[in-house]
Amino acid sequence: MSRVIDLTRELVRFNTVNPPGDEEAAMRHLGGYFADRGIAVEYQPLAPNRVNLVARLHGRGDGHLVLCGHMDVVHPGTSEWEHDPFAADIVNGTLIGRGATDMKGGVAAMAQSLVELAESGFEPSADLVVAITCGEEVDMAGARLLDASQALEGTHNVVIGEPTGLDIFCAEKGVFWPKITARGRTSHGAMPHLGVNAIVFVSRLIGRLEEYPFPFERSRTLGDPTLSVNVISGGVKTNVVADRCSVEFDMRLVPGQKTDDILAQLNALMDELRAEIPVEVTVDILQDAPALESPPDSRLVLAAVAAVRERCGRQPAVGGVSYATDGALIAPSLGADMIICGPGGVDQLHQPNEYVEVSQLEDAVEVYKAIALTLLGE
Ligand SMILES: [Zn+2]
């Protein structure tokens, strides 16, 4: 059995369900695999039992290539699995387990590509880095730490190994989750004119939001932004005017939309509504990851397309996704191009009986090696 398969199985057997994550044991295991082969390894502590791992094959100059993945996984869920989600059984050419696809398979393939290039004596023109984060599934805290650490300074290209079936996504929508809490004044339900009804305020806000013309320019790969109102809570009793109501909504942004601008537009809209219903308003931002888009004719995209074509004998799709990855937190501040390309089907994300085809793990190792050889070979 090839080493990438063994490595994936070893990582799946560490329970890194987030929360709480507890990724450190798995990170140390992977770090040991690098260190045993003479590859430089650095750990970045986030919290007890939680670290990022950065492994590096040093090059001569700048223009580093970063292969990035996350070690945490989501809970196996409440529906029955046909196999223990942490056993990493192999059945009919598939490796089954929580994280097989999202994304310990990708992590193992990235690690194995670095190891094989190092063992072959490859001397890259700039650093080849494998950066594995903790905490991606909840709040991307590991990616924030990685970004703040400046360990990736000098990077021109980032590959995120989330599952794409080895297709190539060169754009992702931004994710912006505002939570708005309105506080009014309570009164008896029989005398509503004496109160300030926070529920009425929020319901008017929602009505306006769905139509609100937040400015944007349609993206070729990502299409239009979206807005979805998904959580609302307020009120205490039928005969009591509600003095408190909160709403959370999920906005998916396209490149060019700035969350500061959106917040200003939102505040202007609420000021207008408050002229009639004078509630106090607070805004909490639950998630804020910018949209990004790399040119489809960038060196990175072209190298990845050629690598997949060469290894898999097919032309990969090139497109965009409507969710954020760790890439949104590390690529913009580096000014780097970014793609998402990894083994495993998108349909397996967070599913029971999650699996990855072992042949795709082996393909991914070769694809990552080919991308590194193209970008760092001269
Ligand atoms: Zn993932």
Side-chain angles (χ1 to χ4, degrees), residues 174-192:
V175 178
F176 188 51
W177 293 349
K179 174 182 180 176
I180 290 166
T181 304
R183 288 183 187 78
R185 190 172 62 242
T186 189
S187 70
H188 196 289
M191 289 166 277

Side-chain angles (χ1 to χ4, degrees), residues 70 102-103 136-137 162:
H70 63 85
D102 185 15
M103 54 162 290
E136 192 271 348
E137 295 287 3
E162 296 274 12

Side-chain angles (χ1 to χ4, degrees), residues 76-157:
T78 48
S79 50
E80 214 28 48
W81 284 55
E82 284 159 33
H83 295 261
D84 177 346
F86 301 103
D89 290 343
I90 293 184
V91 181
N92 296 331
T94 65
L95 194 164
I96 302 163
R98 177 50 90 223
T101 277
D102 185 15
M103 54 162 290
K104 286 171 172 170
V107 167
M110 291 179 149
Q112 188 58 30
S113 70
L114 176 66
V115 163
E116 289 184 15
L117 287 170
E119 286 175 344
S120 74
F122 176 53
E123 291 179 1
S125 60
D127 295 3
L128 174 59
V129 179
V130 169
I132 311 300
T133 62
C134 53
E136 192 271 348
E137 295 287 3
V138 172
D139 52 10
M140 298 183 169
R144 285 175 214 280
L145 174 67
L146 185 61
D147 179 47
S149 75
Q150 306 194 333
L152 306 184
E153 205 95 321
T155 296
H156 290 182
N157 294 294

Side-chain angles (χ1 to χ4, degrees), residues 327-348:
L329 295 175
I330 58 175
S333 62
L334 296 165
D337 283 333
M338 187 215 67
I339 59 167
I340 313 170
C341 178
V346 181
D347 60 344
Q348 292 301 304

